[in-house]
Structure formats: C-alpha cells, structure tokens
Amino acid sequence: MTNDELFERARRVIPGGVNSPVRAFRAVGGTPRFIVRGDGPYIFDAEGKRYIDYIGSWGPMILGHRHPAVQAAVHAAVDEGLSFGAPTEREIELVEAILAQVPSMEQVRLVSSGTEAAMSALRLARGATGRNVIVKFEGCYHGHADALLVKAGSGLATFGHPTSAGVPEAVVQHTLVLEYNNVAALDEAFARHGKTIACVMIEPIAGNMNFVRATVPFMQRLRELCTGHGALLVFDEVMTGFRVALGGAQSLYAQAIPGFAPDLSVFGKVIGGGMPLAAFGGKRAVMEQLAPLGPVYQAGTLSGNPVATACGLATLREIAKPGYFDALAARTRGLVVGLLEAAQSAGVMLTADCEGGMFGFFFAAELPQNYGEVMATDRERFNRFFHAMLGRGVYLAPALYEAGFVSSAHTHDDIAATVAAAAASFAA
Ligand code: KE4
C-alpha cells in the first residue's frame, strides 16, 4: 500500500490516523510517511523510499536504528521473558548507570513514558513540600498530564491552541505559566507566590520550542529563587538527558554556575533506547517520600520492564564510551554549519544552534529566546523547506516547534548529502 492508502486506512480506525498528534503532519501539511524499517541513520517508508532520519523517534535513537549491540541485548532479553512484575537485577544496573552520569541524584524510579515521569515528579514535589502551586514556562512541554498541559510547546502549540480541552479549570488553577528566559517574571511570581510554590519545572534547553536555551543568568536566578523559597527545581531532561551531553543539560549548567544542580530530574527517550522507558530521580530524602516508603503514591505494571531496561542499558553503555559525545557533537555541528552556509549563499535568512546530538533552526535573523519569538519566525518558509527536504530524502521534524536529532550512525557523507539537499531546497 502507498503512504496515502495507509493513511486513509489508518484514519478509519485511529484518530487522525496516528497514535501521537505530531506524526500526522498537520503542522506542515501532506501525507505522513508510514515507516517499515530503520537502519543506521535511515528510515524506509511503505513506498520503499529512503530518508536520512533527523527525528530518531524524537530522540531515543541516538545510536541510529538497529545498532548491533542494542539489538543483541534486546533479543537476549526477549528470550528470557517479556515481563515479570517483580524486581530484576537489570533495573538496578540501569539505575546505577544513570546515577553514574547524574551526580545530582541519589535515587531513581523507572516508569514507562516521559509523561508518566514528569507527572510523578510533579506529584512528588507537591507531596514532599506540602504545597500546590507549580510553575512551568510557555513553550515547554512536559508530556500530557493534566496539570502540565497548559500552554505546552509541543503538539498543542503547533495546533495553535495553547491549552487542552478536557482539563478542568480546577486542575490548572495551581499552574503558573511564565515566559521562558524572563527573570523579571520569575521574581514577580516568587514575590507573590513563593511560599506556595512546590516546584518549577523547566526544559533546560527547550526542544519543544525547537531549540531555545535557558540563559545562564535566568537559570542562576531560578536556582536562587527556588532555594530561597523552599521550592524544588525540576529539570525535565526527557529530551536533553544523555542527548546534549552524557550528563545532560544540567552538566552544562554546572560548568557555568558553580555548584548548580536541580532538585529533581526527569529522563526518557535515550535511556530507553527506543523502548518504553523513562525515569525521575533526586536526593534520597525526597525520593523516599514515594510509595512504598512514603505518602506519595506512584506505580506501574511495566515500570522497569526487563526488555526495555536491556535496551536502555545497552544504549547507555555505548554512549558512555570515551569520545562518543565529542564525535557526536562535532557531527551535529558540521550539519548546523553546513545548513547556515547553504542558507547564506542562497540569501536565505536562517539561524541555528546545537548542543551534543540535538539541533534546531529557524527562518529568522536571531535565535528566539522565548515562545513568542518562536511564534514570530517564518512558519510558512519552514513548512516549504520541510517538504523540499522530504522530497530530497531528508526527514526533518514535521513541525516548526520540534528539535532535530543527529545519531552516531550519521556519517560525514550523510551530513554532506543533507547539506546538498538543503542548498538545492534553498535555491528552489
Ligand atoms: P512522552 O510521554 O512522549 O514519552 O514524553 C513526554 C515529554 C516530556 N518532556 C519533554 C521535554 C518531551 O520532549 C516529551 C515528549 N517530546 C515529544 C516531542 N516534542 C514526543 C513526540 C510526541 O509527542 O509524539
């Protein structure tokens, strides 16, 4: 069947024909590609077309598709059984591997999706502080738990309605949404609500606004205010964790701000290697508020699933190898520099940024610093570029508000081919 035929058939039985909205291409228009397999940096659609993949399942496939060590680990785990609902050693091994790279945490709880991890971290922060108010930032997306689905930057922003139907006003009455990178707004919010704020949840590099960095002064002030008012700083590193650096974005801020550390961290995507697995963690004193020890309930049938932990562990072992991130960062930088040079020689206004294996670009003169500025970039041009590249066999994120991802399977030739496709697309 063609992509069109599959999409038609899918829409009869699955809302919008997809199991996650962004996959429907509604932001960019056209027919989504139905993928039949992946291999290294490539994915192949139902019509046999090959694409250089810069989505990587929205982050997890940092090693590329079908990495031999990961495939072997998963096959071996499958042969031992799929799920037991009982503790296994491999959950301990995976948590130990995560803790080895994230010194701000002493304990971790494994769950099955980033949404579940962020939702649980939020409940934990409220339970641990006894407070109700939470703060998030416009343009940041932390999964689709009710209290966090307020001006989310992923899917919803792409569809243009900043809050979701079905979320009772009562649920979001405690959710403050501030402007990203706005220090004055932070000061104001803490001045007015400081004693009732349970936590501030932030994407340290906002991949759900494509690619917007929290400035160091903003992050420094955020840390000071949380500490001063007894609120927990929650880093949502579902996208940035083990992607922008082995130690995540928090390791970058710890270099810029002596002693910097969040109180809770949320992970997903890369730590599952493409299987359903996510996590949240922090200091023991906070984490032991969780059931079965403490009063904050949280649970999951497939939490720490033995096949998913095998996939995640094999992935983490590969990316922890010496030089891995230096090479990945250099490859990603090569792509960004190539795109900027191609745009410049075609007289197209483009700005871009990257960190580790994550990148973003905007049809604008300057890098946006917040959601409003992202909204002001040239969406029409982005969409035309998306389709021009797709037609040339390069699969970029089908939405202006999404980040791009390079894997260690992307070769210099893949990057060169991508830059050549961009040059041709800009010329057109
Ligand atoms: P999941 O529930 O989709 O595993 O994770 C939610 C989540 C939480 N936090 C951050 C920073 C995230 O980026 C995400 C999920 N990211 C989107 C892409 N922007 C996943 C793709 C999708 O929604 O289909």
Side-chain angles (χ1 to χ4, degrees):
M1 294 183 92
T2 65
N3 291 307
D4 281 321
E5 288 165 343
L6 284 166
F7 196 33
E8 174 52 40
R9 190 173 136 216
R11 280 189 306 219
R12 282 201 291 273
V13 292
I14 302 171
V18 293
N19 286 305
S20 198
V22 71
R23 303 177 189 171
F25 275 24
R26 291 175 67 89
V28 292
T31 301
R33 300 311 192 252
F34 282 70
I35 306 304
V36 294
R37 68 186 178 91
D39 195 15
Y42 310 124
I43 49 178
F44 300 81
D45 75 8
E47 295 171 11
K49 291 197 181 74
R50 190 197 81 168
Y51 303 91
I52 304 175
D53 178 15
Y54 288 104
I55 296 201
S57 179
W58 300 97
M61 309 318 293
I62 193 167
L63 294 171
H65 298 285
R66 293 181 60 241
H67 185 284
V70 176
Q71 299 291 115
V74 170
H75 284 302
V78 165
D79 290 342
E80 291 170 340
L82 300 179
S83 182
F84 312 115
T88 63
E89 183 180 1
R90 201 154 47 234
E91 293 159 76
I92 311 169
E93 289 177 286
L94 178 60
V95 168
E96 288 169 344
I98 293 168
L99 290 174
Q101 308 303 344
V102 188
S104 67
M105 304 194 300
E106 292 172 338
Q107 288 200 329
V108 165
R109 175 61 59 85
L110 299 176
V111 295
S112 298
S113 74
T115 290
E116 193 182 354
M119 175 184 74
S120 304
L122 182 65
R123 183 180 312 126
L124 176 59
R126 284 173 153 162
T129 60
R131 300 175 178 182
N132 288 338
V133 173
I134 57 172
V135 178
K136 72 176 291 288
F137 298 92
E138 196 174 18
C140 288
Y141 175 67
H142 306 293
H144 60 91
D146 278 358
L148 288 165
L149 210 53
V150 184
K151 290 197 179 147
S154 181
L156 284 173
T158 307
F159 296 131
H161 44 87
T163 58
S164 170
V167 177
E169 189 48 45
V171 170
V172 298
Q173 64 182 326
H174 301 300
T175 306
L176 285 177
V177 183
L178 305 181
E179 184 177 76
Y180 200 77
N181 277 325
N182 185 328
V183 173
L186 273 186
D187 285 327
E188 160 88 12
F190 273 90
R192 291 173 54 178
H193 305 282
K195 289 288 163 264
T196 61
I197 295 177
C199 71
V200 178
M201 187 175 281
I202 188 168
E203 286 187 66
I205 297 176
N208 287 287
M209 286 192 266
N210 193 322
F211 195 104
V212 180
R213 294 174 188 269
T215 67
V216 171
F218 175 76
M219 192 59 84
Q220 195 148 13
R221 187 68 182 135
L222 177 55
R223 180 62 274 175
E224 285 165 8
L225 287 165
C226 285
T227 303
H229 290 83
L232 299 182
L233 176 55
V234 185
F235 257 35
D236 179 347
E237 298 227 42
V238 165
M239 197 184 288
T240 54
F242 300 92
R243 167 60 71 172
V244 299
L246 186 54
Q250 58 190 273
S251 67
L252 306 174
Y253 285 98
Q255 285 163 9
I257 307 167
F260 178 88
D263 300 303
L264 287 174
S265 300
V266 182
F267 294 99
K269 295 182 193 274
V270 169
I271 67 166
M275 298 287 287
L277 191 146
F280 63 103
K283 291 288 189 259
R284 178 189 294 274
V286 177
M287 294 302 287
E288 291 192 339
Q289 300 292 311
L290 283 170
L293 299 178
V296 181
Y297 194 69
Q298 185 275 329
T301 301
L302 296 178
S303 296
N305 173 270
V307 180
T309 52
C311 192
L313 200 53
T315 300
L316 294 195
R317 283 179 178 145
E318 290 300 320
I319 69 174
K321 287 179 178 173
Y324 178 88
F325 267 94
D326 292 341
L328 180 64
R331 189 66 39 85
T332 309
R333 171 95 15 222
L335 171 67
V336 166
V337 168
L339 291 176
L340 289 169
E341 286 171 352
Q344 190 169 30
S345 43
V348 170
M349 192 164 64
L350 188 82
T351 182
D353 194 2
C354 64
E355 189 69 48
M358 183 168 151
F359 69 93
F361 59 86
F362 301 89
F363 288 96
E366 302 290 325
L367 278 171
Q369 291 298 303
N370 59 48
Y371 180 70
E373 290 178 14
V374 169
M375 291 289 278
T377 64
D378 193 334
R379 183 201 319 230
E380 179 43 43
R381 209 157 225 214
F382 177 92
N383 291 353
R384 284 209 307 276
F385 181 64
F386 169 82
H387 281 290
M389 293 291 270
L390 193 66
R392 290 179 172 83
V394 178
Y395 196 105
L396 297 170
L400 168 65
Y401 307 98
E402 300 291 355
F405 304 97
V406 174
S407 83
S408 45
H410 286 76
T411 65
H412 280 293
D413 288 350
D414 295 314
I415 300 298
T418 305
V419 171
S425 302
F426 290 140

